[in-house]
Amino acid sequence: MKPAVRFPVSTTLLRRLTYANIVANVAIVVTGGAVRLTASGLGCPTWPRCTDESYTTTAEMGVHGVIEFGNRLLTFAVGIIALATLLAVLLHRPRRRGLLPLAVAVFLGIPAQAVLGGITVLTDLNPWVVGLHFLASMLVIAAAYALWQRAKDPDGPVVAVVPAPLRTLARITTAVSAAVLVIGTWVTGSGPHAGDHGAARNGLDPETISQVHADSVFLLIGLSVALVFAFRAVGAARAYRAALVLVAVELGQGLIGFVQYFTDLPAVLVGAHMLGSCLVLLATLSVQWSTRERQPVAPAPAPPSTPAVEPVAANA
């Protein structure tokens, strides 16, 4: 017999922690963007120390040092939330299948991101490494979203709620969404916001790669609109609503992208575009999850009761 858990964790607390994981990882993407957009990427010029003599910023480094060091400190806050979530998964009973690997993945993703961030500093903000740093954050956010969804779902079998061709279309849309994120890092690496005035660019022509990015966005929106009509046609209400949200987020993100391009990439709009990238990813994952559902496990049938047998009186 397994020993009882001394400090049980409720399902409500577990769900709140998994949701906090998503918020925290999106927040650190936005603050990381602020580091780049304020040219503070080398505010702490080395890693893991901030300077060769100090782990913290110094007065001589000014506001850029404060911004970069502040973002490093935020990594610890995100890690604490991930650790609390992992402990909650371990203490939650009954433990749902698949929760622990996802919680471990999110938790280990935080130090991995810190190391990647350090490599970006040590390589003087190489644009390809900076792009990889951003994409790794997207993977952590995807794992955090999967963890949150798993904490919400009952512990039962997974059942498809839309026909197989539409599930395939949803997977293609997810793949194109991922491609849009990757190409977006190429656009960023060719643009003016390098994170430091002396940082190198990736050498791609900004106008050409921006057009490629715009074309991929148009493809993504077209696929998403197709999902809206297809889900509505088969009566998949939950998937239909998720696809509508995805299209709305994509249109908002596209509008920000066009405005920032034609206004010479103001920092505020670029930061909003980075937040929009996270929202597009989350909305895409929501559509993917809406094509299936996990059904609760039916309770085991009670064993048949044995009718009581009345004693038979012996013959006289």
Side-chain angles (χ1 to χ4, degrees), residues 59 95 97 115 169 283:
R95 186 183 300 166
R97 292 189 302 272
V115 172
L169 181 59

Side-chain angles (χ1 to χ4, degrees), residues 4 12 20 28 51 68 80 114 121 127-128 165 188-189 196 201 214 222 224-225 257-258 276-278 283 310:
T12 300
I28 202 166
T51 69
E68 164 64 6
I80 290 172
V121 172
W128 300 106
T188 298
D196 185 80
R201 301 285 72 205
S224 302
V225 171
F258 275 109
S277 297
C278 298
E310 296 183 0

Side-chain angles (χ1 to χ4, degrees), residues 179-205:
V180 167
L181 291 175
V182 173
I183 298 171
T185 64
W186 302 346
V187 176
T188 298
S190 70
H193 297 292
D196 185 80
H197 297 300
R201 301 285 72 205
N202 60 20
L204 298 176
D205 178 63

Side-chain angles (χ1 to χ4, degrees), residues 10 24 52 61 65 76 84 89 117 120 127 130 154 176 180 183-184 205 237 279 305 314:
S10 68
D52 291 333
M61 302 174 70
F76 289 98
V89 168
T120 63
V130 172
V176 173
V180 167
I183 298 171
D205 178 63
L279 297 181
S305 58

Side-chain angles (χ1 to χ4, degrees), residues 113-133:
Q113 275 293 78
V115 172
L116 273 175
I119 294 173
T120 63
V121 172
L122 296 176
T123 57
D124 294 327
L125 305 181
N126 180 289
W128 300 106
V129 180
V130 172
L132 181 62
H133 189 40

Side-chain angles (χ1 to χ4, degrees), residues 32-52:
V35 171
R36 180 171 59 85
L37 294 170
T38 57
S40 302
L42 296 178
C44 287
T46 188
W47 187 88
R49 295 173 182 261
C50 189
T51 69
D52 291 333

